[in-house]
Amino acid sequence: MALKSTIIKAQLSLSDMDRHVYQDFNLTLAQHPSENEQRLMIRLLAYALNACDGLEFTKGLSADDEPEVWHKNYSDEIELWIELGLPDEKRLKKACNKAKKVVLYTYGENNQAIWWQKHQPKLYEFKNLSIFSLDFAATQALAALVDRNISLTITVQDGDVWVSSDSVNIEIKPVQLM
């Protein structure tokens, strides 16, 4: 019997002072059976950090030819492609060829530096790619916030991100690698 996705309802109150985006979002996420809480929360964080009209979650882990989050224009062209994790160079090349802008959020305990060292020289060829590294301890703290109904306040200022719930405040400092 196939496992079904878990539906997560998220209420976000976003104050992004860097981009002047101040908005509340009521989002529905489907957590794939193989997706852990850390990845789910990084998807939610990536959405908040790139919030704009038309930004939407995709099939994610259920579709190899789609990112985690994207923004398509009215002509169905991909304006923004958001990846998570430590993808191989071929996947990023494909994304850069399909989208005007690609953003990758890397995460993981000890493997980000190894991945970056291995792929860095080839990735500089992609002029429309931005890469941000997320601290493992901070993303693990985010994972602890997962619930079927999540209510978060996300504040962004000078590149630093604060994620707050009723009981927890988490500071995240995304490091731009490229």
Side-chain angles (χ1 to χ4, degrees), residues 99-113:
K100 291 182 182 176
K101 181 180 177 185
V102 177
V103 179
L104 168 64
Y105 294 95
T106 65
Y107 67 96
E109 188 168 13
N110 295 318
N111 46 5
Q112 287 188 69

Side-chain angles (χ1 to χ4, degrees), residues 1-9 28-41 43-44 57-64 66-68 84 107 146-148:
M1 183 171 161
L3 296 173
K4 293 183 179 182
S5 294
T6 302
I7 301 302
I8 307 292
K9 298 284 187 176
T28 302
L29 293 90
Q31 183 180 10
H32 190 276
S34 67
E35 181 178 39
N36 63 28
E37 285 78 12
Q38 182 184 31
R39 184 178 179 86
L40 175 81
M41 291 304 288
R43 254 196 317 144
L44 194 57
F57 295 105
T58 64
K59 295 175 186 169
L61 293 173
S62 299
D64 290 339
E66 292 182 2
E68 303 301 324
L84 304 179
Y107 67 96
V146 171
D147 194 10
R148 293 260 179 142

Side-chain angles (χ1 to χ4, degrees), residues 116-127:
W116 179 238
Q117 186 176 10
K118 177 182 176 185
H119 294 286
Q120 179 181 6
K122 294 176 185 173
L123 297 179
Y124 278 114
E125 297 172 19
F126 310 131
K127 301 300 179 202

Side-chain angles (χ1 to χ4, degrees), residues 69-87:
V69 182
W70 66 11
H71 172 243
K72 287 184 168 184
N73 64 24
Y74 294 113
S75 301
D76 211 32
E77 299 166 321
I78 303 170
E79 296 285 332
L80 175 63
W81 178 297
I82 299 174
E83 278 291 323
L84 304 179
L86 304 171

Side-chain angles (χ1 to χ4, degrees), residues 8-25:
I8 307 292
K9 298 284 187 176
Q11 291 182 308
L12 295 183
S13 180
L14 176 64
S15 297
D16 187 335
M17 291 173 249
D18 294 350
R19 297 186 310 127
H20 304 290
V21 176
Y22 308 94
Q23 194 170 347
D24 292 331
F25 298 93

Side-chain angles (χ1 to χ4, degrees), residues 161-174:
V161 182
W162 291 270
V163 179
S164 304
S165 69
D166 289 339
S167 59
V168 178
N169 292 311
I170 301 165
E171 183 178 5
I172 302 170
K173 294 182 178 246

